[in-house]
Amino acid sequence: MSHNRIRLPKSRFGRTLLSLAVTAAVGFGYFYVTLPALNPHAGEFYSFLGLLCAVYVVCVFLLSGAPHDNVIRTPKEKLREWLKFIKSRCLPVGLLFVAVVVIAAVGNVVSMPLLRAAAYRDLLTVQTGDFASDVAQISFNEIPTLDRTSAEFLGDRQMGTLSDMVSQFEYSGDSTQINYQGRPVRVAPIAYADLFKWLTNRGQGLPAYVVVDMVTQEATVTRLPQGMKYSFSEPLNRNIVRHLRFHYPTMMFSTPEFEIDESGHPWWIAPRVVKTIGLFGGTDIQGAVLVDAVTGQSQYYKEVPTWVDTLYVPELIMQQYDYHGTLVHGFINSLLGQRDVTITTDGYNYIAMNDDVYAYTGVTSANADQSNLGFLLCNMRTKETHFYEAPGATEAAARASAEGVVQDLGYVSTFPLLLNIAGEPTYFIPLLDNTNLVKSYAMVNVAQYQLVATGATVSACEQTYIQMLSDKGVTTPEELPKTQASGTIAEIRSAVLSGSTYYFLRLEGETVFYALSAAQDRQAVTLNVGDRITLDHALPGEEETDILDAYALTIDGRGSSQTVAPDLAAG
């Protein structure tokens, strides 16, 4: 019986070609899966070269075989033959491997902050600003009331309402906070539910994306006239990272972010990463490649269009500030003495201003105590960064203070948003129940974190907080935005909201109700239909509403009606 055996090439040239072919095949497979940037500033580039060298050497050894001259050799002669073989066939590749290791090692050393402290310190330019003048007061109907977790929970739940999509697609979770048509929103593409769903739907692509309004908490699914062919859920060539690597093999990228332009068209924003210190240090961003999520067409912009909101990410800015704050007096001082050393606090949030997205994070001393020295605001498109001096509580301390006020309800705080309320730096903190839904809001004064106001609505929380600032002498009464309404009570309704009793009063000739908390003015309990009153109430917002928050009551006269306030409705 004869056995088929794989015939290996006998000539030296043939074996070399086979070794190169195997190396190329392994290298292509590795490149296709891991997608290293072919750039000397990328650490994975040296790993890729080292792998190719190792594969080639192994192939050469495996294909070398024993000498075919049938000469019996001593161990010493065999060793001499192997050394001669290594010198003739593997030395160039071995030298290349050594060079790769040496360059990578030296590159790491010359890029260390120990040797380049001044360069690392200057990665981020930080200007000092005045909070009250730089950060405009935001109307309560523009304040984001969700954090990322809550927004994505709503986006995922919205997918479940679409019967024609839920079996084929799912919410991706790759959401990005942007300003869209003047509103702070989170946008995320949908994704194929599994590999089989990809096979059956890849021709049409992903038919929609999800938009969550961070103010109104409304989640909507926007259907596209043409499906998105490029995304993270594509496993092969249309995977957005692979698509970028094949078109820009030498560029280094941070994780692409999903955005929509002002017309609602979907894009992937891939910031270009550059190393500015030594070989591997000083990570920064230099422009971005914009990829049309529908067609895959792409273009590199050194200056991105103004509708792009996410060129930088907060983690990079926080890392650069930590270098800026710790290396202020050199590397040794960052470890010993730590004079004037500052670092960012854990966590961040976003603020929408001037049609741009700004990242916010606190700044504290190196000993990480429970007080902040101030905070940073950084433009996520331009990297313009300002430091605002505002000694006070850290975000963690403010969250604990807010949770303490509603501890009987078991609400959990989200990471604070920094707002300018009546000229005061203020932590705004949505409070969630155990289903990740926002149930209440808190405002905590940064400088005096024992000043905590809560409310069932943003406007109620804001008015209570402003009144508290006035009562405590932090601000003057003139700073309280208000107007008045006078008339005869035509209707009274009441409800318990988040543990507080609210009376909703409608005056004769009006359709709007004025919401007044009994905790603000106990006289509200005594009101009857027919009483004549004057109310100080919140200014109407840009959007029409049937309810305005009242925060001061004057009884001008009692009516003859004997109708009493209705029983409280359970809220």
Side-chain angles (χ1 to χ4, degrees):
M1 180 181 294
S2 62
H3 297 277
N4 293 327
R5 302 181 61 185
I6 298 176
R7 293 186 177 182
L8 300 176
K10 294 183 178 181
S11 68
R12 175 177 176 180
F13 179 73
R15 292 179 178 180
T16 300
L17 283 181
L18 182 57
S19 298
L20 290 173
V22 172
T23 302
V26 173
F28 177 79
Y30 180 86
F31 180 82
Y32 191 85
V33 173
T34 63
L35 303 171
L38 304 182
N39 188 311
H41 291 285
E44 65 266 22
F45 174 65
Y46 295 90
S47 300
F48 182 51
L49 288 180
L51 173 70
L52 295 179
C53 292
V55 170
Y56 177 80
V57 170
V58 170
C59 288
V60 169
F61 271 99
L62 292 177
L63 297 174
S64 63
H68 299 285
D69 53 11
N70 296 320
V71 175
I72 299 176
R73 292 172 173 81
T74 65
K76 186 175 181 180
E77 290 173 332
K78 290 181 179 180
L79 178 61
R80 189 181 299 114
E81 289 283 346
W82 275 108
L83 292 175
K84 181 179 179 181
F85 168 80
I86 292 173
K87 181 178 180 181
S88 62
R89 302 284 298 279
C90 299
L91 183 60
V93 176
L95 291 176
L96 176 60
F97 181 81
V98 172
V100 167
V101 173
V102 170
I103 292 174
V106 173
N108 273 298
V109 171
V110 300
S111 305
M112 294 173 61
L114 172 64
L115 304 178
R116 307 293 298 274
Y120 276 93
R121 180 194 62 212
D122 296 336
L123 279 172
L124 184 67
T125 300
V126 181
Q127 305 174 49
T128 301
D130 178 74
F131 182 76
S133 59
D134 290 356
V135 181
Q137 296 189 50
I138 302 176
S139 172
F140 69 84
N141 60 356
E142 298 175 345
I143 297 173
T145 59
L146 298 171
D147 65 350
R148 176 171 186 160
T149 300
S150 302
E152 294 188 342
F153 173 79
L154 292 176
D156 184 54
R157 192 171 65 173
Q158 182 65 23
M159 284 295 298
T161 66
L162 303 172
S163 58
D164 62 325
M165 288 190 185
V166 70
S167 63
Q168 302 294 312
F169 306 98
E170 62 186 10
Y171 182 72
S172 68
D174 298 320
S175 70
T176 308
Q177 183 159 330
I178 64 171
N179 280 350
Y180 175 57
Q181 297 180 350
R183 302 284 291 180
V185 301
R186 274 198 171 271
V187 292
I190 61 175
Y192 301 106
D194 54 46
L195 185 61
F196 181 76
K197 303 299 191 304
W198 167 74
L199 287 171
T200 56
N201 292 284
R202 67 181 303 273
Q204 293 75 35
L206 301 171
Y209 56 81
V210 181
V211 180
V212 180
D213 191 305
M214 303 293 284
V215 178
T216 65
Q217 304 183 27
E218 179 183 3
T220 57
V221 176
T222 301
R223 297 175 186 263
L224 295 164
Q226 289 182 286
M228 294 181 286
K229 306 296 195 305
Y230 297 84
S231 68
F232 280 103
S233 64
E234 288 279 349
L236 299 178
N237 288 8
R238 296 194 318 203
N239 177 277
I240 184 60
V241 178
R242 189 166 288 114
H243 180 71
L244 283 163
R245 177 56 62 232
F246 287 169
H247 283 77
Y248 303 90
T250 63
M251 278 193 184
M252 298 181 291
F253 295 105
S254 63
T255 303
E257 300 278 355
F258 181 76
E259 286 201 36
I260 56 177
D261 59 24
E262 291 302 303
S263 65
H265 190 79
W267 296 83
W268 289 100
I269 313 300
R272 180 190 179 188
V273 173
V274 294
K275 303 292 184 177
T276 61
I277 301 174
L279 197 59
F280 303 125
T283 302
D284 210 345
I285 300 298
Q286 188 179 87
V289 173
L290 273 61
V291 183
D292 189 313
V294 175
T295 66
Q297 294 180 344
S298 62
Q299 184 173 345
Y300 170 70
Y301 294 87
K302 192 169 184 179
E303 297 290 335
V304 297
T306 55
W307 62 263
V308 174
D309 290 319
T310 55
L311 186 61
Y312 293 86
V313 293
E315 292 85 355
L316 176 61
I317 301 303
M318 293 166 70
Q319 180 191 68
Q320 291 190 353
Y321 182 83
D322 286 344
Y323 286 131
H324 177 86
T326 56
L327 300 176
V328 61
H329 295 306
F331 185 81
I332 301 300
N333 181 72
S334 69
L335 301 177
L336 304 175
Q338 297 186 327
R339 180 168 58 91
D340 299 328
V341 169
T342 57
I343 56 175
T344 56
T345 55
D346 293 331
Y348 59 87
N349 212 327
Y350 298 98
I351 303 174
M353 295 190 303
N354 306 319
D355 202 31
D356 274 322
V357 173
Y358 288 75
Y360 148 79
T361 187
V363 174
T364 187
S365 59
N367 59 12
D369 55 20
Q370 288 297 302
S371 62
N372 274 359
L373 303 175
F375 45 87
L376 298 178
L377 286 181
C378 177
N379 188 309
M380 292 289 93
R381 179 173 56 86
T382 66
K383 206 178 82 166
E384 180 182 356
T385 304
H386 286 83
F387 170 76
Y388 298 95
E389 184 176 352
T394 62
E395 298 88 345
R399 293 178 66 177
S401 183
E403 289 177 355
V405 175
V406 293
Q407 58 183 337
D408 57 319
L409 301 172
Y411 294 159
V412 177
S413 63
T414 65
F415 193 85
L417 182 69
L418 189 73
L419 300 178
N420 177 357
I421 305 295
E424 286 287 309
T426 301
Y427 291 124
F428 172 71
I429 308 174
L431 300 168
L432 312 178
D433 64 9
N434 56 10
T435 62
N436 280 329
L437 293 177
V438 177
K439 291 297 184 180
S440 185
Y441 307 93
M443 289 186 178
V444 182
N445 189 268
V446 172
Q448 303 180 47
Y449 70 101
Q450 73 277 10
L451 298 181
V452 183
T454 60
T457 65
V458 178
S459 58
C461 181
E462 180 184 39
Q463 300 308 322
T464 302
Y465 176 72
I466 293 175
Q467 187 67 57
M468 183 180 294
L469 294 180
S470 178
D471 293 343
K472 298 294 184 180
V474 178
T475 60
T476 59
E478 288 73 22
E479 293 179 275
L480 191 63
K482 61 183 179 180
T483 188
Q484 284 189 341
S486 299
T488 301
I489 299 176
E491 186 177 356
I492 301 177
R493 300 184 186 183
S494 59
V496 177
L497 303 175
S498 300
S500 298
T501 303
Y502 283 82
Y503 290 89
F504 299 87
L505 313 174
R506 183 176 66 83
L507 303 181
E508 290 182 354
E510 296 189 12
T511 58
V512 67
F513 283 85
Y514 301 97
L516 181 66
S517 169
Q520 294 172 268
D521 196 324
R522 289 181 293 179
Q523 292 186 96
V525 179
T526 69
L527 292 175
N528 295 307
V529 172
D531 290 347
R532 297 183 304 279
I533 62 172
T534 297
L535 290 168
D536 291 345
H537 64 85
L539 296 173
E542 294 180 1
E543 298 181 358
E544 293 185 5
T545 179
D546 293 330
I547 300 176
L548 292 174
D549 290 289
Y551 44 83
L553 166 69
T554 302
I555 300 176
D556 299 323
R558 295 292 184 177
S560 59
S561 172
Q562 298 301 311
T563 305
V564 296
D567 293 335
L568 299 181

